[in-house]
Amino acid sequence: MAASELISARVIRRVSFYYEVLLKLNLSPDTYISSKRIEEMTGVSCNQVRQDFFYLGFAIGRQKKGYQVGVLLAELKRVLSVEKCAEVVVVGAGRLGRALTEYPLFGVRNIRIVALFDNDQQVVGQNLKVRDEIVPILHVDAMDAFLRTRAGVNIALLTVPESQAQGAFDNLIRLGIKGIVNFAPRILKIPKGNKQVQLINECVGASLYKIVYQICRNQEGEHRDE
Amino acid sequence: MAASELISARVIRRVSFYYEVLLKLNLSPDTYISSKRIEEMTGVSCNQVRQDFFYLGFAIGRQKKGYQVGVLLAELKRVLSVEKCAEVVVVGAGRLGRALTEYPLFGVRNIRIVALFDNDQQVVGQNLKVRDEIVPILHVDAMDAFLRTRAGVNIALLTVPESQAQGAFDNLIRLGIKGIVNFAPRILKIPKGNKQVQLINECVGASLYKIVYQICRNQEGEHRDE
DNA sequence: TAGATTGTTAATCGATTAACAATC
DNA sequence: TAGATTGTTAATCGATTAACAATC
């Protein structure tokens, strides 16, 4: 894999799986784990696992034994750039915003929520406690100043109500945020010509829609496996 | 498309996009909308849009005009099975569980959260108000009885802390739930041989991981478009 | 008419699966 | 050795994109 090549979202997601499952297993770094065993743990086929490792240029396996846990974790870590802490802000301190702030796997991945922003005076000034750190809820008007003192922060999670989504989004772009994950129930679009900003419209309900669809269909037609 | 054939998750997701965007536009049912215009609204290419409609057997377009909004909405609705209300329970009445309960697009899709369950006596007995409906928080021990009186409920959202995920999951399977979306930060697996239950392990952080990865990479290497 | 837009097919692209020689 | 498991290539599968005749 060329160094400058972007890994696809699919691969990233599987690598996350491997990494988190492996961490959770908490095996001694000098034990070995086979692709078959990784399949059992993650549900990703052993062929896919080996293909991924090959594609990522790992070449750290040993026939008959598998992959040394410590070495494998280091490689996965490198791919995910976990060593470097990624600092992120949350815009919208409602239930979803707070839930995300507390999401435990962000810690594992060295992602740190450094502040929440809201325009509701009722919540501004509160603090959230996340893994021994205090995360403040600030007023949106203070975001400009905040970001200027924290040049490393260039990613935002957007969790405002639908009615405020567009405005908050425009504001984030204006402030120079580079990456936005939009959890608001509205599809946002980057203004044409702007190549600086990355946007993902997250669909909280996508999985549920899929399940609902499958269950409904199965009830109508005859039952079939798989 | 054969009636018994399952539509892929990709298609379902795009169809959701079309449906929600179209609803939001709130056009008169007898106006027409072109695939090109749908591309502008959703970001899905007009080729993809037409391909989807073709695959789904719509055949409702008219050259030079496009698709009649009322007819198109009806077709999308049919595909998504939105006419029939899907009743769902939420297990875990924390921030994420409550945020999902209030998620506005579930209403659009005719998905109804009928109850939350928790084992914390502090929250049991509370009610959430969602779009004029009262949604109760009940004790997990009451779930068995609740589900027996509500045969139509066979889907659950799992939003408990990691430590309780496996237990709550096993319980849901025991109670005969057919579809589970797991938001807990642990990968769950359906016991081998069980073909009745559908499970999706939702990864709340997936999009953020992707953004973090892309932004980091872009900072390291030279800047490239796309 | 001329231009726009559909339905549909074919080409391309990318991702997954299968296979197997190498070898510990 | 024999069995297990890797790295790697080739085959398959599915999804997206491109193209274009049909036609309103």
Side-chain angles (χ1 to χ4, degrees):
Chain A
M1 190 200 62
S4 63
E5 214 172 302
L6 272 190
I7 302 171
S8 79
R10 297 266 179 119
V11 175
I12 287 286
R13 183 167 177 178
R14 285 198 300 270
V15 172
S16 290
F17 263 38
Y18 306 148
Y19 181 65
E20 283 159 20
V21 167
L22 217 52
L23 268 191
K24 198 141 300 163
L25 278 179
N26 202 21
L27 300 169
S28 162
D30 51 2
T31 55
Y32 284 76
I33 188 166
S34 70
S35 56
K36 195 73 196 153
R37 180 111 173 74
I38 296 176
E39 170 172 342
E40 284 161 26
M41 301 311 302
T42 62
V44 179
S45 80
C46 63
N47 281 322
Q48 181 78 80
V49 170
R50 291 205 306 283
Q51 182 67 270
D52 284 342
F53 290 179
F54 174 61
Y55 170 70
L56 295 168
F58 283 9
I60 54 173
R62 289 181 58 184
Q63 279 101 336
K64 212 182 161 180
K65 304 188 81 173
Y67 305 88
Q68 198 178 348
V69 170
V71 178
L72 181 54
L73 267 176
E75 288 287 326
L76 294 171
K77 217 166 172 171
R78 184 179 55 74
V79 169
L80 295 170
S81 313
V82 175
E83 302 92 342
K84 199 202 299 184
C85 174
E87 294 184 324
V88 175
V89 294
V90 172
V91 180
R95 278 168 180 163
L96 185 56
R98 291 168 192 232
L100 288 172
T101 303
E102 292 172 344
Y103 187 60
L105 292 184
F106 289 160
V108 169
R109 290 289 298 277
N110 211 358
I111 289 170
R112 215 172 125 233
I113 312 290
V114 292
L116 293 88
F117 294 91
D118 207 296
N119 59 9
D120 180 357
Q121 290 293 358
Q122 295 260 312
V123 302
V124 169
Q126 291 178 15
N127 291 309
L128 298 186
K129 190 148 179 288
V130 183
R131 288 182 291 277
D132 305 331
E133 300 207 25
I134 301 296
V135 184
I137 301 180
L138 308 173
H139 195 279
V140 279
D141 292 342
M143 188 155 50
D144 196 354
F146 181 89
L147 291 176
R148 255 187 274 116
T149 64
R150 296 271 218 146
V153 183
N154 43 26
I155 295 174
L157 303 180
L158 191 56
T159 59
V160 299
E162 197 220 330
S163 60
Q164 298 174 33
Q166 189 66 53
F169 178 66
D170 295 342
N171 196 32
L172 285 170
I173 289 185
R174 192 176 55 77
L175 294 178
I177 286 287
K178 292 283 183 296
I180 300 169
V181 183
N182 170 39
F183 286 87
R186 153 168 287 179
I187 296 165
L188 297 172
K189 296 182 68 182
I190 297 172
K192 266 189 181 163
N194 187 331
K195 301 279 189 189
Q196 312 301 315
V197 180
Q198 311 239 20
L199 166 69
I200 294 180
N201 286 296
E202 182 64 68
C203 183
V204 171
S207 299
L208 181 55
Y209 301 160
K210 193 182 162 199
I211 286 273
V212 164
Y213 174 75
Q214 288 175 342
I215 303 278
C216 286
R217 299 292 285 192
N218 281 350
Q219 282 178 342
E220 286 166 17
E222 78 277 54
H223 262 284
R224 283 166 306 120
D225 285 344
E226 199 258 331
Chain B
M1 189 202 63
S4 64
E5 215 173 298
L6 271 191
I7 302 171
S8 80
R10 295 267 178 117
V11 176
I12 288 285
R13 178 157 185 188
R14 284 197 301 268
V15 173
S16 291
F17 263 39
Y18 307 148
Y19 182 63
E20 282 158 21
V21 167
L22 217 51
L23 269 190
K24 198 141 299 161
L25 278 179
N26 202 24
L27 301 169
S28 162
D30 51 2
T31 55
Y32 284 76
I33 188 166
S34 70
S35 55
K36 195 70 196 155
R37 180 110 173 72
I38 296 177
E39 170 172 340
E40 283 161 25
M41 301 310 302
T42 61
V44 180
S45 81
C46 63
N47 281 323
Q48 181 78 78
V49 170
R50 290 205 307 283
Q51 181 70 269
D52 283 343
F53 291 179
F54 172 63
Y55 169 71
L56 295 168
F58 283 9
I60 54 172
R62 290 180 58 184
Q63 277 102 335
K64 212 181 162 184
K65 305 189 78 174
Y67 306 87
Q68 200 179 344
V69 170
V71 178
L72 181 54
L73 268 175
E75 287 287 325
L76 294 170
K77 217 167 170 170
R78 184 178 57 73
V79 169
L80 296 170
S81 313
V82 174
E83 303 92 341
K84 201 199 304 182
C85 174
E87 296 185 324
V88 176
V89 294
V90 172
V91 180
R95 278 167 181 163
L96 185 56
R98 290 167 192 234
L100 288 173
T101 303
E102 292 172 345
Y103 188 59
L105 291 185
F106 288 160
V108 170
R109 290 291 298 277
N110 212 358
I111 290 171
R112 214 172 126 235
I113 311 290
V114 293
L116 293 88
F117 294 91
D118 207 298
N119 59 8
D120 179 357
Q121 289 294 357
Q122 296 259 313
V123 301
V124 169
Q126 291 179 13
N127 291 310
L128 297 186
K129 190 146 178 291
V130 183
R131 290 182 290 278
D132 304 331
E133 298 206 29
I134 300 297
V135 184
I137 302 180
L138 308 173
H139 196 279
V140 280
D141 293 342
M143 187 155 51
D144 195 354
F146 180 89
L147 290 177
R148 256 188 272 115
T149 65
R150 299 270 220 143
V153 183
N154 43 28
I155 294 174
L157 302 181
L158 192 55
T159 58
V160 299
E162 198 221 328
S163 60
Q164 297 174 35
Q166 189 66 52
F169 177 66
D170 295 343
N171 197 31
L172 285 171
I173 289 184
R174 193 175 55 77
L175 295 177
I177 286 288
K178 292 283 182 298
I180 300 169
V181 182
N182 171 39
F183 286 87
R186 154 169 286 182
I187 296 165
L188 297 172
K189 295 184 67 183
I190 297 172
K192 264 190 186 163
N194 187 332
K195 301 279 188 187
Q196 312 302 315
V197 181
Q198 311 238 21
L199 166 69
I200 295 179
N201 287 297
E202 183 64 71
C203 183
V204 172
S207 300
L208 181 56
Y209 299 160
K210 195 183 160 197
I211 285 274
V212 164
Y213 174 75
Q214 288 175 343
I215 303 278
C216 286
R217 298 292 285 194
N218 280 351
Q219 283 179 341
E220 285 167 17
E222 78 276 53
H223 263 282
R224 280 165 308 120
D225 285 345
E226 198 260 334

